[in-house]
Structures are given as structure tokens and as C-alpha cells.
Amino acid sequence: MEDQFMSYLTCEACRYTFVSDKDLIQCPDCGKPQVRKATEKEIDDYIRIRMEIEKRIWGNEKLGGRDDFERPIIH
């Protein structure tokens, strides 16, 4: 069985950043075909925002850094 790699992707049109195990061409948010691999800054922002959401939803104050989230292997 082949390993599935996850990638951080960003849409050039709407700036939506997301994680996917597929090479998408079309943005799942706005639908435009302007998806590219996310930059390190976009990945850091995505992880920071996800951590803030998790803290608000679950009240988990133990989350403190990007190491608390599993970072997909970028290929």
C-alpha cells in the first residue's frame, strides 16, 4: 500500500489555505483553478489559526505551539 502524503495548498484567488492528500487544481472554497503549494508563512498562519480555533472550541490551554499539530509531509 502506497503512503498518502498531505500537502498544504493555497488559492491565489481567495487566499484560502487548506490541507489535502490530492493534487487539487480547483479551490474547494471559491472554485477557481488557482491552487498552488502554500509558502512557509502561509503554513505557519494556517497552524496558528487552527490552534486558536481548537482553544476556543475545546478550551484546551495545553496547546502551545506548532508541534502540537501534526504537520503533513510536503512533497
Side-chain angles (χ1 to χ4, degrees):
M1 182 174 172
E2 187 175 320
D3 289 335
Q4 290 289 328
F5 291 101
M6 302 292 283
S7 295
Y8 285 97
L9 304 170
T10 296
C11 176
E12 282 289 331
C14 70
R15 310 308 291 172
Y16 179 63
T17 299
F18 58 99
V19 179
S20 178
D21 63 348
K22 298 177 181 157
D23 289 331
L24 297 178
I25 296 172
Q26 190 171 5
C27 176
D29 191 48
C30 73
K32 294 186 179 170
Q34 296 179 349
V35 174
R36 60 165 172 75
K37 290 185 180 183
T39 65
E40 284 296 316
K41 181 177 180 343
E42 290 166 335
I43 294 168
D44 288 343
D45 289 345
Y46 173 85
I47 291 171
R48 179 184 48 79
I49 291 167
R50 287 291 309 258
M51 287 174 27
E52 290 174 10
I53 291 168
E54 291 290 325
K55 285 180 183 179
R56 288 184 184 178
I57 291 174
W58 302 108
N60 188 349
E61 295 302 321
K62 293 180 182 177
L63 296 175
R66 79 189 271 166
D67 292 336
D68 290 327
F69 282 85
E70 183 177 329
R71 186 171 180 170
I73 298 171
I74 300 174
H75 59 96

